[in-house]
Amino acid sequence: MFKGILIEKDESGYRATLKEIDDTELPEGDVTVRVSHSTLNYKDGLAITGKGPVVRKFPMVPGIDLVGVVEESSHPEFTPGDQVLLNGWGVGENHWGGLAQKARLKGDWLLPLPAQFSPQQVMAIGTAGYTAMLCVLALERHGVKPQDGEILVTGAAGGVGSVALAVLSKLGYTAVAVTGRPEDAEYLKSLGAAEVLERALFSSPGKPLGKERWAGAVDVAGGHVLANVCATTKYRGVVTACGLAAGMDFPASVAPFILRGVTLAGIDSVMCPRADRRVAWQRLGTDLDIEKLQKISQVVGLSEALPLARKLMNGEIRGRVIVDVNQ
């Protein structure tokens, strides 16, 4: 038996509870992992609270991230005792995830734990930080350099935004943070933000084109925020889009793209190929100041994840939440 959060849906309704789960209930897979830490992400919040149609099968263990030690393996790359990491691949949606003390998974979804990080540190980064790195890599790939101008980071006090600020500032970019919580201004500046702007400047319907300012952007919001970011991006600037915290819609015009040559680059971390994942984690090892992870993250126990999921959905959580599943 092992402890885990289990989401169930039946005639009694939709519920997420902390339970004792029998090993025989684990799903199919060629690697069994004794999990040490997971995380609480926006997608996990949607799954636990039922506020979004994230879970595709029931019952489901949420948790899109995990780190732990291999207990059993028939996969050629992994043997018992190996420390491994997982982000995405539909775990917590279609396949049981990391918010439990055990997981059985496909070995093709796993990566060896990067040598630069401890298990807790790698979860302080998690899917959010790895997604932030994918955004920075996309900016680089499209030729955006520090001397080209400011990089806007929306949802900056969240997990993606916090890591994006830390990485961009270390790489020499001038990063500008957008937040709906002005009380977090000093926190954001400590991560490397040169300026902090209020979300209200971006959250209402805007013009098809605005004054050019941003050389690039990391957007987690979508909706009017993304539309306004694109409208104020400089000629041939690049906007990376990786989230929908402000909505799935995109109420914009084609003007930024056909008149200013702006690139809108979509970032998907869930099904991202393993080769790209390895590059992202390698770069996080060199381009993220590990000391800033303590500012970005907090550690909680498995039982605390349930009430924190509701706070996360209400925008009350700053940075990253690491879940010690044995605490």
Side-chain angles (χ1 to χ4, degrees):
M1 301 288 287
F2 61 94
K3 288 182 181 178
I5 293 174
L6 199 66
I7 300 172
E8 298 169 284
K9 184 180 181 183
D10 52 31
E11 62 276 2
S12 301
Y14 187 104
R15 60 195 179 277
T17 51
L18 181 59
K19 287 192 164 188
E20 289 281 340
I21 304 171
D22 195 279
D23 286 32
T24 59
E25 297 181 57
L26 284 166
E28 291 183 3
D30 51 11
V31 180
T32 302
V33 177
R34 170 63 68 175
V35 179
S36 66
H37 299 81
S38 184
T39 64
L40 197 61
N41 296 276
Y42 186 77
K43 188 177 283 186
D44 301 317
L46 288 171
I48 290 170
T49 62
K51 288 187 176 180
V54 169
V55 178
R56 310 296 184 189
K57 297 178 181 178
F58 296 92
M60 178 60 60
V61 172
I64 65 172
D65 290 328
L66 66 85
V67 65
V69 177
V70 173
E71 278 195 344
E72 299 175 27
S73 174
S74 58
H75 191 279
E77 288 186 40
F78 301 104
T79 57
D82 289 346
Q83 289 186 298
V84 292
L85 158 72
L86 181 142
N87 309 113
W89 293 117
V91 299
E93 301 175 72
N94 297 307
H95 191 97
W96 284 18
L99 285 169
Q101 294 173 325
K102 273 193 180 184
R104 184 169 293 142
L105 308 148
K106 289 185 179 180
D108 289 347
W109 297 341
L110 301 172
L111 290 177
L113 180 71
Q116 305 96 320
F117 303 115
S118 69
Q120 184 169 310
Q121 287 171 335
V122 91
M123 287 292 98
I125 299 167
T127 285
Y130 142 69
T131 302
M133 193 70 239
L134 290 176
C135 290
V136 174
L137 290 169
L139 292 174
E140 292 180 345
R141 190 165 59 249
H142 285 90
V144 180
K145 301 178 180 63
Q147 59 267 32
D148 292 337
E150 298 169 306
I151 307 297
L152 189 71
V153 179
T154 68
V160 174
S162 295
V163 176
L165 287 175
V167 170
L168 287 165
S169 63
K170 187 170 182 182
L171 290 172
Y173 290 90
T174 301
V176 176
V178 177
T179 182
R181 301 198 298 261
E183 64 272 19
D184 286 336
E186 288 307 311
Y187 162 76
L188 296 170
K189 288 179 179 178
S190 75
L191 295 179
E195 185 180 352
V196 179
L197 301 177
E198 294 233 12
R199 184 174 60 205
L201 296 171
F202 299 87
S203 56
S204 299
K207 297 177 181 179
L209 284 176
K211 184 178 178 181
E212 296 179 50
R213 179 166 179 183
W214 319 114
V218 174
D219 178 65
V220 304
H224 287 297
V225 174
L226 177 57
N228 287 319
V229 171
C230 290
T232 51
T233 296
K234 294 164 85 172
Y235 185 76
R236 289 207 165 181
V238 179
V239 178
T240 59
C242 64
L244 45 68
M248 284 191 69
D249 58 332
F250 183 44
S253 79
V254 298
F257 312 112
I258 64 173
L259 298 179
R260 291 183 180 165
V262 169
T263 295
L264 180 58
I267 305 298
D268 167 57
S269 62
V270 177
M271 304 306 291
C272 181
R274 288 178 91 198
D276 293 347
R277 292 168 184 260
R278 290 180 189 275
V279 171
W281 279 104
Q282 180 184 20
R283 286 289 302 273
L284 283 162
T286 59
D287 299 334
L288 176 63
D289 186 345
I290 293 179
E291 290 183 4
K292 288 184 177 178
L293 288 178
Q294 282 192 317
K295 294 180 183 178
I296 290 171
S297 60
Q298 59 175 304
V299 182
V300 303
L302 197 54
S303 62
E304 297 170 85
L306 292 171
L308 280 176
R310 294 172 182 83
K311 287 189 174 183
L312 181 66
M313 298 312 298
N314 293 331
E316 299 171 14
I317 300 295
R318 186 173 79 181
R320 301 281 297 135
V321 177
I322 306 165
V323 181
D324 182 338
V325 300
N326 298 305
Q327 184 177 306

